[in-house]
Amino acid sequence: MAVSSTQVQFDSLFGLFTYLAFAVGIVVFTFMIYLIVRYREKASSRQPKDTPILGKQPQSRGHVRTVLLTLTLSTIIIVPLIVGSFGAVDSLLSPPQQVCQGCAIEVTAHQFYWQFTYDNGTMPYNTNNILRVPMGQNIRLSVTSADVFHDFGIIGYDIKTDAIPGRTNIIWFYPDSPGNFTIQCFELCGSGHAFMKGTLMVMTYSSYRAWYNTTVVH
Amino acid sequence: MGEQLRAIARKWLYTTNHKEVGILYLITSIFLFVAAGVLALTMRTQLSAPGNTLLAADIYNQFVTVHGLLMIFWVLSPLAFGFANFIIPLQLGARDLAFPRLNAMSFWFFLFSGVMMILSFFFGAAPDLGWTLYSPQTATLFTPTIGFNLGAGALILMTVSITMSSVNFLVTMLKMRAPGLKLRYMSAFSWAILITIFMMLYAFPSFLAAVVLLYVDRAFGTVYFSSIQGGSLLWDNVFWFFGHPEVYIVLFPALGIIADVIPTFARRPLHGAKYVIGSMVVVAMLSFAVWGHHMFVTGIGIVSTKLYTVTTIAISLPFDVMIISLIETLGMSKLRLKAPALFALGAVANFIVGGITGVFLASVALDYSLRGTYFVVAHFHYLMVGASIIGLIGGLYYWFPKITGRMYNEKLAKIHFVISMIGFQILYFPMFILLDMPRRVVTYTPDTGWGLLNLTATLGGFIFGGAQLLLFYNLYRSSRVGPPSGPNPWEAWTLEWALPSPPPPHDFDVIPTFLADGSIRFGSGPGLPNGSSHSGEIGYPNGSSTHDGNSSLHFVNAKRPLFTASRRAQSLADSDGFRSIHLLPRFDYWKARKPSTG
């Protein structure tokens, strides 16, 4: 069950990579193991004619055809990977211009907590580390850092961006189902790094609105 | 007894002989491998169960950082360059590196910088922010300890050592090859080292600049990297411009060893040898154009991320050529599955897994999820441990007879191989499945469900680590009581195997000459050099001859006058390919031991 748009995208692309990886891996390993088993030294082994000997340059072996074949097959495999990646990154890096009220949130990373500021200027200190978002809306996060290099990642959403002082990186997603997800820092940022967690709370639109309206406007 | 010890200490402290320096490199890096490995096993123990409290977070962070720095800078490269020191002059037909004293100096810089890095633990705290040293956490504001300054100083000294070493090898390989030895006649290992040196020459200046500026930031309060205006990304760029070639710098020597070991044991030439070398050159050049994939989610813009995706995925093409050629070498062969061959093939297998998963990380879209997770950890350990370390261990077994003159215990070595490979897979494969778990966390909560996979990895870690005790025991014991190996136990073709095992201090009594067809001739006839055969049937016994029937061949590269006025000029002439040895045979030994460094 998909939980967000980004996760759907990740899963399909990761699936493509994984299928091709297994296909290539199985072919190459089979080839290698076959050759090892077939040509390991036995009593019946034939002495190769071109065995390199000390004091002589080894004979040249192999043909450019093999190289071209390898390169052609490899290119055929990597083209869909590049095309697929481009498609996914185009959508990941084109955040929607317009999002609903309460759906554009600033994320500021601190050693060692997350601070979420809503578009009405709300900075609910009592709910530190909890990011509430409505389901079924495009959510846009502007991520930055107040001190050192952090990385904002939502486990299960398959989405991440670096939180860098002096820079703002934008990511967006579309939550499909309600629930709680773990937000965690993915770049070593100091002694509290492992505990720099937060919660992404995906609420139904109506309960989100109810919560949003209770927040104090500064 | 005391006198004897002093003599031994003097020998190893004062040595400039490339073989002895090479042994010093090998032994030192093996000790540092154990040190960094113990750090790793302690971390794995900490992670074996959720909520474990064996290590405090700040200690764990220091372990993570020093483990990475030691393994990359003080284990992988020096282990490879221990072999290079010992073997490259032998393969080139040179009596030593171009600048033997500089070579000894590189070693001592390397040793003391490594000690300095370890000492940083005892000065407040060792560096504790990952081997990538991301800014601005490196600023004094966030990391006030003196230990970090010590670590940064160690990195500077280490870079000095690497720079001296690469210049030394560059001059040696380009200027001191035996007469007639063309670059294209060089073995895959020599080529790999040559390409590695070029990468070092272009990558390390960026690193040196970065670390010096970092040190200045900390010592004098400048704001090169701590500035909020782009300091973080500046570090990212200069660091990774170095950092990506660095991963090939630690990989290529092992690849070179593999590409020499597999043909030797398959009893057939390397398939498509020139394409393998060509692919290495392509990778080396392309490696300077892929660093952006380490910065995919820093927000460097959609066009550049796409470009880096293409270059990074494209760099897999030359690797495909290398791997397929290595595998095809086995075709129609007579494969002797001795320990060096097993380790070389094991390294190829791990390399395939590490390489394929590297393509995942080359995709900017997948990086939005995989960045900073254990998937990355698994990927690069498959390459750095699975391919580099396993390949270098293959090299240890391969050249052990040459270095010590004795044969290791083959059965123990095979057991070592099997346990190592199994332990390795149990250690690192589970990490591919932990693709949600952040790297470098000291602990995790039970509800994440990561406990079982981490426990498995820890078990694998102890199996892999424990297996290395077999290696150390085998090499230590065999170096004392192993049966004599003879000059060429593997029936290999490269030049070092023409010499006695271990080679005499001056290596060659007569500098070999390479003929136009690539065959090697020692003295007046083809065949083995003296030292291994005293019969005088071929070559010259012990350099006692002052006349060479084919001496004109030796002067092919001579660019200097035949008779030189001073020893200094004599030695310079030597490095230009002009071999004075036939005129001054008695200075052989003296020159090999105490050369002038011009």
Side-chain angles (χ1 to χ4, degrees):
Chain A
M1 176 67 193
V3 293
S4 79
S5 58
T6 52
Q7 195 233 4
V8 172
Q9 238 165 23
F10 174 80
D11 279 357
S12 60
L13 192 62
F14 192 80
L16 172 70
F17 272 70
T18 313
Y19 284 130
L20 284 174
F22 271 98
V24 171
I26 287 169
V27 169
V28 176
F29 275 115
T30 312
F31 184 41
M32 184 171 163
I33 291 166
Y34 167 77
L35 289 179
I36 292 174
V37 173
R38 170 83 175 71
Y39 292 109
R40 73 188 188 284
E41 189 175 38
K42 292 170 289 221
S44 58
S45 293
R46 259 185 296 173
Q47 180 64 38
K49 287 196 188 66
D50 52 2
T51 300
I53 19 173
L54 185 60
K56 280 238 180 334
Q57 275 298 309
Q59 291 174 32
S60 161
R61 184 184 166 201
H63 200 277
V64 70
R65 270 197 310 257
T66 334
V67 177
L68 291 179
L69 183 69
T70 309
L71 287 178
T72 315
L73 288 177
S74 305
T75 310
I76 292 172
I77 292 164
I78 66 175
V79 165
L81 300 182
I82 292 178
V83 172
S85 301
F86 277 12
V89 78
D90 276 338
S91 111
L92 270 172
L93 289 184
S94 339
Q97 291 304 308
Q98 292 294 317
V99 290
C100 72
Q101 199 195 8
C103 295
I105 302 156
E106 283 169 28
V107 179
T108 312
H110 297 260
Q111 280 179 323
F112 301 96
Y113 61 94
W114 302 101
Q115 176 193 318
F116 304 108
T117 312
Y118 287 78
D119 48 8
N120 59 1
T122 312
M123 202 188 288
Y125 279 109
N126 56 335
T127 56
N128 255 341
N129 289 333
I130 296 181
L131 172 60
R132 292 165 206 264
V133 295
M135 186 179 102
Q137 295 286 335
N138 284 324
I139 311 294
R140 193 173 70 201
L141 303 180
S142 312
V143 182
T144 186
S145 164
D147 38 46
V148 301
F149 204 117
H150 300 271
D151 182 280
F152 175 88
I154 308 171
I155 294 174
Y157 264 56
D158 295 311
I159 195 163
K160 251 179 213 117
T161 194
D162 286 337
I164 304 171
R167 283 181 72 84
T168 302
N169 288 330
I170 294 178
I171 49 170
W172 71 283
F173 54 88
Y174 182 94
D176 285 334
S177 55
N180 289 346
F181 301 87
T182 306
I183 292 168
Q184 194 155 3
C185 179
F186 279 77
E187 179 59 52
L188 182 54
C189 56
S191 58
H193 167 60
F195 313 102
M196 188 170 161
K197 291 187 191 178
T199 307
L200 171 73
M201 197 182 278
V202 182
M203 311 163 87
T204 57
Y205 189 70
S206 52
S207 52
Y208 177 76
R209 287 249 67 96
W211 172 80
Y212 185 78
N213 291 333
T214 64
T215 58
V216 186
V217 179
H218 291 283
Chain B
M1 188 63 195
E3 192 53 41
Q4 219 177 346
L5 273 178
R6 265 201 295 280
I8 294 176
R10 251 200 314 276
K11 172 184 163 184
W12 290 104
L13 279 174
Y14 294 165
T15 184
T16 57
N17 186 303
H18 71 97
K19 295 185 292 303
E20 286 164 4
V21 175
I23 291 170
L24 285 174
Y25 265 110
L26 290 176
I27 291 175
T28 313
S29 49
I30 286 174
F31 271 101
L32 291 167
F33 175 61
V34 174
V38 168
L39 293 181
L41 285 180
T42 320
M43 290 189 290
R44 281 295 351 145
T45 313
Q46 159 67 19
L47 289 172
S48 60
N52 204 351
T53 53
L54 174 72
L55 292 176
D58 41 349
I59 303 287
Y60 182 89
N61 290 349
Q62 295 172 39
F63 277 28
V64 161
T65 309
V66 176
H67 161 77
L69 289 170
L70 279 183
M71 283 292 192
I72 290 168
F73 295 119
W74 282 280
V75 176
L76 283 163
S77 268
L79 195 58
F81 274 80
F83 291 129
N85 258 285
F86 198 103
I87 299 298
I88 291 287
L90 304 184
Q91 290 199 342
L92 299 184
R95 283 207 174 87
D96 206 321
L97 289 169
F99 311 112
R101 283 156 67 111
L102 188 71
N103 189 33
M105 190 156 128
S106 306
F107 168 74
W108 293 106
F109 265 74
F110 150 70
L111 173 66
F112 284 116
S113 61
V115 170
M116 203 165 150
M117 179 53 82
I118 292 174
L119 281 182
S120 66
F121 276 113
F122 307 102
F123 289 84
D128 60 353
L129 30 91
W131 84 280
T132 50
L133 305 175
Y134 270 11
S135 143
Q137 209 187 331
T138 46
T140 324
L141 174 65
F142 300 107
T143 312
T145 57
I146 298 180
F148 189 93
N149 293 9
L150 209 57
L155 287 171
I156 294 174
L157 291 188
M158 184 277 312
T159 313
V160 171
S161 158
I162 288 204
T163 309
M164 292 191 292
S165 203
S166 43
V167 169
N168 204 347
F169 274 93
L170 192 67
V171 175
T172 309
M173 299 193 75
L174 295 183
K175 298 300 286 180
M176 289 182 63
R177 298 191 308 280
L181 172 51
K182 296 189 172 115
L183 281 177
R184 66 186 154 93
Y185 292 157
M186 291 202 312
S187 70
F189 177 65
S190 289
W191 263 107
I193 293 292
L194 184 62
I195 296 166
T196 305
I197 290 160
F198 271 103
M199 283 194 284
M200 282 176 166
L201 273 183
Y202 285 91
F204 270 95
S206 177
F207 184 64
L208 185 62
V211 184
V212 168
L213 291 184
L214 173 61
Y215 195 88
V216 173
D217 264 8
R218 291 179 59 83
F220 306 116
T222 54
V223 288
Y224 293 107
F225 295 122
S226 48
S227 157
I228 204 162
Q229 264 96 30
S232 290
L233 282 200
L234 177 64
W235 173 268
D236 261 29
N237 277 302
V238 289
F239 179 82
W240 285 117
F241 179 79
F242 145 82
H244 202 80
E246 170 67 10
V247 306
Y248 300 125
I249 288 170
V250 300
L251 174 71
F252 270 26
L255 266 184
I257 293 173
I258 294 165
D260 271 351
V261 165
I262 288 182
T264 300
F265 288 83
R267 313 305 300 141
R268 291 206 64 192
L270 179 60
H271 190 276
K274 59 185 169 202
Y275 305 112
V276 173
I277 308 293
S279 303
M280 282 192 186
V281 176
V282 172
V283 169
M285 292 194 289
L286 209 49
S287 74
F288 288 92
V290 298
W291 82 91
H293 69 245
H294 296 274
M295 303 168 58
F296 273 156
V297 298
T298 56
I300 51 172
I302 193 160
V303 177
S304 51
T305 55
K306 281 181 174 177
L307 277 174
Y308 285 123
T309 298
V310 173
T311 53
T312 311
I313 293 187
I315 212 168
S316 70
L317 294 177
F319 276 118
D320 294 345
V321 173
M322 286 183 223
I323 293 302
I324 295 297
S325 296
L326 284 171
I327 295 176
E328 282 188 329
T329 303
L330 305 172
M332 307 297 285
S333 70
K334 188 179 164 190
L335 180 61
R336 296 174 177 168
L337 287 173
K338 300 268 178 140
L342 289 173
F343 275 94
L345 293 169
V348 170
N350 291 332
F351 185 84
I352 294 168
V353 178
I356 288 177
T357 50
V359 178
F360 284 64
L361 295 169
S363 159
V364 51
L366 293 186
D367 225 53
Y368 268 86
S369 172
L370 299 177
R371 181 239 191 279
T373 63
Y374 262 83
F375 189 90
V376 181
V377 177
H379 154 71
F380 72 75
H381 279 90
Y382 259 84
L383 296 174
M384 289 189 175
V385 185
S388 289
I389 290 282
I390 298 273
L392 291 168
I393 291 175
L396 270 179
Y397 283 121
Y398 180 60
W399 281 311
F400 181 81
K402 181 50 60 190
I403 294 172
T404 63
R406 293 179 185 278
M407 194 47 104
Y408 61 84
N409 183 324
E410 181 69 43
K411 195 168 173 189
L412 208 54
K414 280 183 176 151
I415 296 172
H416 170 222
F417 170 74
V418 172
I419 302 180
S420 285
M421 281 300 276
I422 293 173
F424 175 86
Q425 311 300 336
I426 301 175
L427 167 55
Y428 292 114
F429 201 82
M431 296 183 189
F432 282 127
I433 308 166
L434 286 169
L435 45 73
D436 277 335
M437 179 169 165
R439 304 165 65 169
R440 297 160 170 169
V441 288
V442 58
T443 191
Y444 48 92
T445 48
D447 57 308
T448 53
W450 299 330
L452 187 62
L453 288 165
N454 272 295
L455 181 64
T456 316
T458 303
L459 282 177
F462 278 94
I463 297 172
F464 182 76
Q468 306 319 312
L469 297 178
L470 291 176
L471 170 73
F472 305 143
Y473 172 77
N474 193 352
L475 297 190
Y476 176 75
R477 180 106 183 117
S478 306
S479 69
R480 304 180 150 235
V481 301
S485 62
N488 190 6
W490 311 125
E491 301 179 75
W493 66 272
T494 44
L495 192 50
E496 76 270 26
W497 300 103
L499 296 168
S501 305
H506 57 285
D507 299 339
F508 296 95
D509 290 354
V510 174
I511 295 295
T513 308
F514 285 73
L515 302 183
D517 64 350
S519 64
I520 304 163
R521 120 193 302 235
F522 295 94
S524 60
L528 298 175
N530 40 42
S532 60
S533 81
H534 288 263
S535 66
E537 174 199 330
I538 44 174
Y540 283 88
N542 292 331
S544 55
S545 165
T546 52
H547 177 261
D548 187 340
N550 267 315
S551 57
S552 62
L553 276 172
H554 296 272
F555 299 123
V556 167
N557 292 340
K559 293 189 183 85
R560 287 170 190 275
L562 199 60
F563 297 98
T564 45
S566 68
R567 271 180 194 161
R568 185 185 177 79
Q570 188 83 59
S571 144
L572 274 174
D574 254 5
S575 63
D576 252 358
F578 169 63
R579 306 295 159 183
S580 61
I581 201 66
H582 307 291
L583 304 167
L584 294 166
R586 278 175 209 175
F587 288 138
D588 281 11
Y589 191 68
W590 174 81
K591 284 162 70 64
R593 296 302 298 252
K594 275 195 147 183
S596 148
T597 49

